Amino acid sequence: MRAMILCAGRGERMRPLTDATPKPLLAVGGKPLVQWTIERLVRAGIVDLVVNYAHLGERIEAALGDGRRFGATIRYSPEREALETAGGIAAAADLLGDAPFLVVNGDIWCDFEYAPLAGRALAPEVLAHLVLVRNPPQHPGGDFALAGDRVLDADGARLTFSGIGLYRPQLFSDIPRGAKAKLAPLLRAAMARGAVTGERFSGDWHDVGTPERLAALDRLIGGGHRA
């Protein structure tokens, strides 16, 4: 299975750190955020990787190279300007192929085990399978509800989308190549048709969205916590 790591975001809330360093290359525990994700994917046997970028993308390529030193193959999908999540995935369609693929946000840190997700067989009607987590303090209202194995855009007890998902390419087939497009509207439309499943992950998950959260995670990892 192929996996795409989303690295095109500007990281406005992380400024001034991201003025000179792409957000996925900010270090925690002595390694760039994106490296933790790459190493965890490789440990799960997922070695065919696609990375998109926009802001300071040449630094991402210089840092990660062709992926060989991680035991992976990395191909790149450059964007002149960030195309949002769905637009970036659609732009990389030729690299991702016709089979379901994993997508992981490049600015998260977690101890999620990717192998079971990579081995998951999607039912014919399912376009996406999302990993949801408990709502962090900065996002108390959550994103979506989980009813059995179906993800719903419904009121009530909501969970937060982790930025980890398994997708069929057909979910993105109507997005013109190079167009900006957000992921949430596509997911909500698919949810209305019962075409999105999900699971809850209860392990360690961190969305590194501010310098303060980055520093807190670095202290956590520096204290001996490892994904």
Side-chain angles (χ1 to χ4, degrees), residues 19-22 25 53-65 76:
D19 287 341
T21 302
L25 294 185
Y53 62 70
H55 173 62
L56 299 175
E58 69 284 355
R59 299 198 177 188
I60 292 175
E61 280 209 45
L64 304 181
Y76 294 93

Side-chain angles (χ1 to χ4, degrees), residues 4-222:
M4 181 172 185
I5 306 176
L6 301 174
C7 294
R10 175 64 175 81
E12 290 289 346
R13 291 177 300 165
M14 296 294 289
R15 297 184 70 183
L17 299 178
T18 51
D19 287 341
T21 302
K23 188 177 178 183
L25 294 185
L26 295 175
V28 292
K31 288 191 287 193
L33 277 167
V34 68
Q35 184 175 334
W36 289 97
T37 297
I38 291 170
E39 290 174 351
R40 197 157 191 89
L41 288 168
V42 169
R43 288 202 299 271
I46 304 164
V47 299
D48 192 349
L49 308 180
V50 175
V51 172
N52 70 336
Y53 62 70
H55 173 62
L56 299 175
E58 69 284 355
R59 299 198 177 188
I60 292 175
E61 280 209 45
L64 304 181
D66 62 5
R68 208 175 322 177
R69 69 187 179 93
F70 306 112
T73 298
I74 298 178
R75 293 175 294 166
Y76 294 93
S77 180
E79 300 170 15
R80 189 168 299 175
E81 59 176 334
L83 299 176
E84 306 281 0
T85 300
I89 294 170
D94 291 343
L95 299 176
L96 292 168
D98 297 327
F101 52 82
L102 277 168
V103 176
V104 184
N105 285 359
D107 59 356
I108 63 170
W109 187 95
C110 63
D111 60 1
F112 183 75
E113 294 292 344
Y114 290 101
L117 185 59
R120 188 180 190 91
L122 296 179
E125 77 279 6
V126 172
L127 293 173
H129 181 87
L130 307 182
V131 177
L132 306 177
V133 297
R134 60 185 176 275
N135 300 329
Q138 70 270 14
H139 191 57
D143 297 308
F144 306 119
L146 187 61
D149 71 341
R150 297 288 155 162
V151 180
L152 307 173
D153 184 25
D155 294 331
R158 288 177 171 238
L159 297 167
T160 291
F161 174 44
S162 67
I164 302 169
L166 177 63
Y167 303 99
R168 289 191 187 278
Q170 290 83 355
L171 182 65
F172 308 95
S173 59
D174 291 336
I175 300 175
R177 202 69 57 87
K180 289 186 177 182
K182 295 181 180 295
L183 178 61
L186 293 182
L187 290 175
R188 291 190 176 102
M191 287 173 196
R193 306 194 303 272
V196 181
T197 58
E199 63 187 88
R200 178 170 181 168
F201 172 60
S202 298
D204 281 331
W205 175 88
H206 301 267
D207 168 24
V208 187
T210 65
E212 293 76 18
R213 297 208 297 269
L214 181 76
L217 178 58
D218 189 49
R219 289 192 297 271
L220 179 69
I221 299 175

